[in-house]
Amino acid sequence: MNKQLKVLFIGTYVPKECGIATFTFDLLNSVSGVHDDIHCEVIALNDPSEIYNYPEEVVFQIERNRLEDYYRAADFINQSDADIVCLQHEFGLFWGNAGDYIFALLSGISKPVITTMHTIIKEPEPEYRISTEKLIRYSEKLVVMSQTAVEMLKEVYKVPDEKIEMIFHGLPDYPFNNCNKYKQKLDLKGSPLLLTFGLLSQNKGIESMLEALPELVSQYPDLVYLILGATHPVVKKQHGETYRQYLTNRVSELGLEKNVLFHDKFVEKEELCNYILASDIYVSPYLSREQIVSGALTYAIGMGKAIVSTPYWYAQEMLSENRGLLVDFGYAEGFKNSLLYLIENPEECDKMRRNAYDFGRKMTWKNIGKEYNAVFTKALKQYRPYSGTKNRFNFLPDQLPEIKLDHLKLLTDNVGIIQHTNLGVPARHYGYSTDDVGRGLAALIQLIDSQEKSEELWKLITTYMSFLEHAQTDTGHFHNFMSYKRDFLDEEGSEDTLGRAVYGLGYVISCPYLSKNMRTLAHTLISKAGTQMKNLSYPRAKAYTMCGLYEMLRAGVDADSFESIFNSRRDAVRAVDSLIDRDTFESIFLSHADSLVDLYEANRKEGWEWFEPTVTYSNAKLSESLILAYNYTKDRTYRKAGLDTLDFLTETQWKGDFFDIVGNKGWYSWNGEKPIFDQQPIEAGYLTQAYISAYEAVRVRKYLELARYSFEYFLGRNRLQIPMYDSLTGAVCDGLNCDGMNCNQGAESVICFLLALSSLNKYADEAYSALFQPAVRSEGLTKKKNLLAANRID
């Protein structure tokens, strides 16, 4: 091999007491033992609240009931240098419907997956069929452990031959031995010694063996039946020791206390092998035919044991050609007769043992490791990685959606915008919010430019202006929350509330399509808020205020423009001494811009180009406000801070073909882990606006492309590949959670969607042009200098 092959295993892992954990451990060691240039690591699955002291090869852990852990694991795999992923699949290992949480991982990785199928269902319920078919689709190769499993995949699931690999269950390599040495080592009695081992559960069928024992014991009083293994942890959690107690009671009823032993413990592999080697006959009385593999039976075969088993699928295949005896399910008489035959015919018994042992040589872990390695090598040669953009998001439209105000109008009554919905139906008990009204005004004013003077826009704008005029307090601040009964619920809102109100009012003042009366009222409300605006301390409140003031300043609006109307109609507006002049607004604007730059310089550090130690909410609005400050002043200090922080948001959230927004479930600290879920659509909307502002400021083509991609977050370019926008109603879902989409459709979500759509609409032809050459590559952005490459559009 010219380079080291790196294999990443996914499954439960030692020291967890679980058959698949042991299998994964043995498989890893067999693969890594094939050649010095094979390096193996593990992603281990844990039950909720489990903590293990794992060996060093475990590099990542999944708490199997946490969907976000599967997404994180996918990110880890993509960023790792693993060549291939080897998944141990058993439905019960993974949470979700038929274990479908695993597909959050498989759908997001760009490495070939080799899946070892520990269970195959011949007649699956619909959810298990769907889950199996998805597993087949995501796997480059499927490894099964019997020819029966091969035929089942082909017949039931129509899997092509070339996708299936048959590799036996592995086993340790021991010499062919008699039992006495190991009986003495373990201080075990029994002549003969019968053994059943494995995690105890009702499907083991041990009661059938107990029923067979009285007549055997009457002829062979030294016979001992050893039942080795702890109760299965899932069974114990749900039912306690009910099954074990039932068996114990039955032993007493049959008078077998001297002949039946229970060893209630999980034994490590070496000790387990000693127990198997000490036994004369291994008994496998499973009750279910649908058993496609059994590690216990495999070990018994490979160690040359005489075997009596029920005819489950795996046993039928493995014990053919005189390698063991089969007894019908639950047939105690059959067990008795088969065991008598083996005890009373030692030569036939030894021949059967030798047949089993010889067959088992091909199943030793050394040979299994070679076979898996050959499959890995073959899969790597055949693997053709998919383009994430083409395959994951090929459902996205090739043009922007039309502007649709149905849902916004549904939320708006003659008072204001109802904040929240219950599954899309306005939830009146939540009342109204100035936060939504202020941003709603900004969105509507931008739509006037694109829709000219629409009557429906005029009505909405008038309603929102009326709300803000009523919400302003005597100090110039604004109430935020109003009940459906039209009572304000606070003394005054937060600083963010003030900033959002100014944000909307600034747009109103700058809009030439609105009446002078309407714009004068907006100027009056902002003027009254002047003292409050000067004294802001929170960065987002400053950013919102700057965005509103920028619209005024950019439009060249001055107090003189409204003075005559203001003076002649002072009785028509709420009391204010005078309208604030342009210089005062500019002073406030620049003061806030300088303070944001100072905040950035105080908190930035290597790998953390941000205003604060934590990335929280409304993030891109901070960057956008400084980019607007640069547009107004041409001061490169503002541009640098604005673009640096916007690029940092990109690097933090851009995954190469979609935006993975910082979630509200804890937010993202500079020395912490980025939360994945409770993603809010406001962040995608503000990113789109910020990218458009960046594009207008510096004409770097990448910003236009990123604006398109961040907007497409609403349309399904997100981690869950779920459209959040409903093109029929114009509604937008409220977020992405670990269990799927938040189907409530509140005011904030649709407003931020409209803000983003209006911004991107200005450049729709360029963003969706067939001649548009992507500047953001699918491998993602890892270095800021790549993002800032001066590919300009003049």
Side-chain angles (χ1 to χ4, degrees), residues 519-538:
R519 297 166 67 203
T520 301
L521 176 60
H523 205 299
T524 302
L525 300 182
I526 281 191
S527 293
K528 187 172 182 179
T531 301
Q532 300 285 351
M533 285 192 290
K534 289 178 184 178
N535 297 324
L536 294 173
S537 56
Y538 288 95

Side-chain angles (χ1 to χ4, degrees), residues 198-214:
L199 294 173
L200 197 64
S201 61
Q202 282 186 305
N203 73 338
K204 294 294 184 185
I206 291 170
E207 58 271 25
S208 302
M209 262 299 296
L210 296 180
E211 300 296 334
L213 288 181

